[in-house]
Amino acid sequence: MSAPLAGKRLLLIMEDGPLADLVSEAAARLGAAVDVRATGRGGLEALADTPPPDAALVDLPLADVRGAEVLAAATRLRLPVVAVSGTFRGPRAAGEVLRLGAADFFEKPFPVLSVMARLARLMGSALPGLEEPEDEVTGAAPLGPAPTGPLAVEPFLALALAGEGVPGVREAAAPPPLSELAAPLPDP
């Protein structure tokens, strides 16, 4: 069985070296050829390459180039882009990033497999049931059984792919009225 992303080219534009290494390793394990660029200018140069990549993952903001410039360049190429950010948060930020041309947006910290599944879908592939990787922080093996099925890796991804919201972005629910939090005090 071939790797799900075999023959696909993924551009990573990320200034955070350890995060770029983590995502790059995940993409490579899935068979993608990965081009990592540590600056926005480097990302723009990679977008000008022939042939262009099949998709891009951009970590916003970029220090040297406005993210809107990178997203505009990708949009001109009809290149799907997933944006991630630890700075831009919430539904407003997600809406703005999507308006600028990103196909999807994830807030940091994000589940790497969710991002990879979304990128795979954007590149016309799907990720079949994967063995759960070692924990990205501790290196320990997972406690439960490996997920099965194409969307078992991240259950909420099925909703996201069906257009039921932006993955990684959840609007805070309004707190319940005070009257629902505590019963009224009895009369003395």
Side-chain angles (χ1 to χ4, degrees):
M1 180 179 190
S2 69
L5 299 181
K8 303 292 184 182
R9 296 178 58 226
L10 178 62
L11 172 62
L12 299 182
I13 305 173
M14 304 185 123
E15 295 171 343
D16 180 346
L19 179 59
D21 291 344
L22 177 71
V23 175
S24 177
E25 181 180 341
R29 284 184 179 183
L30 294 169
V34 183
D35 182 2
V36 179
R37 302 295 175 110
T39 65
R41 290 195 200 298
L44 289 171
E45 289 170 7
L47 289 172
D49 286 349
T50 304
D54 296 298
L57 179 64
V58 180
D59 187 1
L60 299 173
L62 299 165
D64 62 336
V65 173
R66 292 186 59 218
E69 187 177 342
V70 173
L71 292 172
T75 300
R76 283 191 299 275
L77 295 169
R78 298 182 184 265
L79 180 77
V81 175
V82 171
V84 298
S85 182
T87 304
F88 302 126
R89 297 187 164 279
R92 241 184 229 168
E96 182 65 13
V97 170
L98 296 174
R99 187 187 68 73
L100 290 171
D104 215 335
F105 176 79
F106 289 79
E107 288 182 359
K108 289 182 184 176
F110 54 85
V112 174
L113 288 177
S114 291
V115 171
M116 295 313 307
R118 184 63 175 131
L119 285 163
R121 175 78 65 154
L122 291 168
M123 291 187 282
S125 297
L127 299 184
L130 300 172
E131 284 190 33
E132 195 167 339
E134 291 182 352
D135 183 273
E136 296 158 356
V137 176
T138 66
L143 297 176
T148 59
L151 294 175
V153 174
E154 299 293 341
F156 74 87
L157 189 59
L159 293 174
L161 295 177
E164 300 291 328
V166 179
V169 178
R170 292 180 183 85
E171 222 172 308
L178 188 55
S179 61
E180 291 180 20
L181 293 176
L185 295 174
D187 289 332

